[in-house]
Amino acid sequence: MSSSYLPATTDSIALALEAKAPSEAISILYRVLESPSSSSEAVRIKEQAITNLSDLLRQENRAEDLRNLLTQLRPFFNLIPKAKTAKIVRGIIDAVAKVPGTSDLQISLCKEMVQWTRAEKRTFLRQRVEARLAALLMDSKEYSEALTLLSGLIKEVRRLDDKLLLVDIDLLESKLHFSLRNLPKAKASLTAARTAANSIYVPPAQQGTIDLQSGILHAEEKDYKTAYSYFFEAFEAFNALEDPRAVFSLKYMLLCKIMVSQADDVGGIISSKAGLKYVGPELDAMKAVADAHSKRSLMLFETALRDFKAQLDEDPIVHRHLSSLYDTLLEQNLCRLIEPFSRVEIAHIAELIELPVDHVEKKLSQMILDKKFSGTLDQGAGCLIIFEDLKTDAIYPATLETISNMGKVVDSLYVRSAKIMA
């Protein structure tokens, strides 16, 4: 950075735009910011310089310089309205977020800005930076710290009745409780977000986020048809905005189709006009799972999980549901294989299903305990003995129902006799 400043004029901005190297443009813009002029025109030019400078620093992956820029601009923030300050601060924090591997730096930067906004009594900006900080802490799995921060912030925002921010915070709280596997609280927070959103205009991206979270929670409750409709709404919103989350919404739509045993529809959705736009590893992974499910093939299922590990195993939402699907598929295959037998070697079943013996033995014992079929494991002989299903004698439930009805009659007579005696 040069010690001599440049005047805050359009010519200086043009000079930076004409620079051949990004480092030269960055140097020129820093010199424009050093201009001592505080006229309205100079302030406007400096705002333009800040925007251009943050874009260049982001392109050069200079996250630490972006952080230092925020510190350097603090005197300048006293010259401009608080709303513009908030826009610049959030813009620079967003620029840092676009630099790979800066999660720790973002958390540190947000904490610094929270301290500064408290000292300067900039409540509007502080609340938004704190909401951003809570989201970063959640992504870093610092759940307790994020929850503590949100619980205080949400009370403050409710008192101020800032509905738009309240929607963001309630939605964030829902995601946080979902990460902690507290579904009742996650649903309550989502309901609060929807209630606040109904009374104001909500931007399409935010509405899409609400629908996406709604779909995730309904899918968690195994209500896949409702979840599909929410994922579809989210997909339409994100697709119109060309938001990268559109592909994840589409991926979860396909997951819902697979989970309700409509895997044949997956190919049609992918080959549709909207689906073709997002063809790639994410959709290829779901297509492989759908093919495995249609053929009831555990081997194809495991191949899909291995070939698309990043898309299936590392996505916590997909992983959780596919684990359930794998168990169901395994149980169906085992039941089909053992059906002709009354006594069969476990090793033979393992060979037929192409899985390790200990894995099959463990699953069979679990199925017996869950009463998926009647049988027992003879581990000494390494055999599975299947019992015939005994038909329940109808006399027992009928007897229980008769006794229950007699109890009701006696209770009724007792009540009547008590009234007569009174």
Side-chain angles (χ1 to χ4, degrees):
M1 199 188 316
S2 174
S3 57
S4 59
Y5 68 83
L6 284 174
T9 61
T10 51
D11 291 339
S12 298
I13 298 292
L15 187 65
L17 293 173
E18 291 167 5
K20 294 179 181 178
S23 57
E24 185 184 346
I26 288 168
S27 176
I28 292 169
L29 291 169
Y30 268 123
R31 290 166 65 192
V32 171
L33 293 179
E34 289 175 354
S35 171
S37 175
S38 58
S39 66
S40 59
E41 179 63 18
V43 167
R44 188 182 65 79
I45 295 297
K46 284 182 182 180
E47 287 173 15
Q48 181 63 46
I50 291 166
T51 303
N52 293 357
L53 181 57
S54 61
D55 287 343
L56 285 169
L57 290 173
R58 177 183 57 79
Q59 289 167 17
E60 295 292 300
N61 290 338
R62 290 165 62 173
E64 197 61 49
D65 287 343
L66 282 165
R67 177 185 186 169
N68 294 333
L69 177 63
L70 263 183
T71 307
Q72 180 189 336
L73 289 173
R74 286 179 185 179
F76 176 70
F77 291 150
N78 295 322
L79 303 175
I80 60 175
K82 289 184 177 180
K84 282 192 176 179
T85 299
K87 184 180 178 182
I88 291 170
V89 169
R90 291 163 71 188
I92 293 176
I93 292 173
D94 287 341
V96 174
K98 290 175 184 175
V99 178
T102 56
S103 55
D104 290 340
L105 179 64
Q106 290 176 62
I107 291 171
S108 174
L109 176 58
C110 285
K111 286 180 178 177
E112 278 182 19
M113 291 310 298
V114 167
Q115 290 176 351
W116 178 74
T117 50
R118 282 189 186 280
E120 295 288 317
K121 296 181 179 178
R122 295 176 181 258
T123 306
F124 177 86
L125 177 57
R126 174 181 57 77
Q127 290 170 346
R128 278 149 183 80
V129 175
E130 282 185 336
R132 180 65 172 269
L133 176 58
L136 290 167
L137 289 169
M138 183 182 72
D139 292 340
S140 301
K141 295 184 168 53
E142 299 285 343
Y143 298 129
S144 58
E145 191 178 347
L147 200 56
T148 304
L149 181 62
L150 273 185
S151 59
L153 182 60
I154 203 163
K155 289 175 186 174
E156 187 180 341
V157 174
R158 276 180 182 152
R159 280 200 305 271
L160 295 172
D161 201 32
D162 187 342
K163 289 284 175 56
L164 196 59
L165 180 58
L166 193 58
V167 173
D168 278 334
I169 296 170
D170 282 328
L171 197 52
L172 185 58
E173 191 179 37
S174 176
K175 292 177 183 177
L176 186 55
H177 284 305
F178 177 74
S179 300
L180 292 167
R181 312 299 302 138
N182 191 336
L183 292 182
K185 285 193 174 181
K187 288 173 67 180
S189 297
L190 182 63
T191 302
R194 283 192 171 282
T195 303
N198 287 339
S199 59
I200 56 167
Y201 168 75
V202 177
Q206 198 173 36
Q207 185 60 53
T209 308
I210 292 171
D211 289 331
L212 184 61
Q213 182 67 6
S214 299
I216 290 168
L217 292 180
H218 276 90
E220 195 65 25
E221 295 181 323
K222 313 293 185 191
D223 185 1
Y224 294 110
K225 288 186 177 179
T226 307
Y228 179 87
S229 64
Y230 277 119
F231 287 138
F232 181 73
E233 292 291 336
F235 171 70
E236 286 202 319
F238 293 142
N239 184 41
L241 297 167
E242 297 188 352
D243 190 302
R245 287 176 291 177
V247 70
F248 293 103
S249 302
L250 182 56
K251 179 181 174 182
Y252 300 151
M253 283 167 58
L254 300 179
L255 175 67
C256 290
K257 283 290 184 184
I258 294 168
M259 295 304 292
V260 293
S261 300
Q262 293 178 1
D264 294 340
D265 295 348
V266 168
I269 295 171
I270 292 174
S271 60
S272 66
K273 184 180 177 181
L276 289 171
K277 185 178 175 182
Y278 297 98
V279 167
E282 300 289 349
L283 300 192
D284 290 343
M286 300 314 294
K287 182 72 169 66
V289 171
D291 290 342
H293 186 269
S294 296
K295 295 172 184 175
R296 293 187 179 182
S297 170
L298 285 170
M299 189 172 70
L300 287 176
F301 198 102
E302 289 184 336
T303 303
L305 290 175
R306 188 172 58 253
D307 293 346
F308 298 99
K309 185 177 174 64
Q311 290 76 26
L312 301 176
D313 208 34
E314 294 175 13
D315 185 326
I317 294 163
V318 173
H319 174 70
R320 192 176 297 116
H321 294 290
L322 289 189
S323 296
S324 169
L325 183 65
Y326 179 83
D327 283 343
T328 304
L329 200 59
L330 179 56
E331 286 175 5
Q332 288 175 351
N333 277 267
L334 285 172
C335 286
R336 182 165 51 85
L337 288 172
I338 66 175
E339 191 177 1
F341 302 100
S342 59
R343 182 184 179 94
V344 61
E345 288 185 352
I346 297 170
H348 179 63
I349 296 294
E351 187 182 340
L352 290 174
I353 206 166
E354 298 177 328
L355 286 174
V357 174
D358 58 338
H359 187 111
V360 172
E361 187 176 344
K362 184 180 177 182
K363 188 62 186 175
L364 287 171
S365 64
Q366 183 188 331
M367 289 170 69
I368 292 169
L369 290 171
D370 291 342
K371 298 185 178 179
K372 296 290 171 70
F373 67 90
S374 299
T376 185
L377 289 171
D378 185 346
Q379 290 181 312
C383 290
L384 170 69
I385 301 167
I386 300 103
F387 304 142
E388 288 186 16
D389 290 332
L390 297 173
K391 291 183 179 179
T392 307
D393 196 331
I395 195 168
Y396 295 114
T399 304
L400 288 170
E401 188 179 352
T402 303
I403 293 169
S404 175
N405 289 335
M406 286 173 65
K408 290 176 184 176
V409 170
V410 171
D411 290 342
S412 176
L413 290 171
Y414 176 77
V415 171
R416 287 188 180 185
S417 64
K419 286 180 180 178
I420 293 168
M421 294 295 288

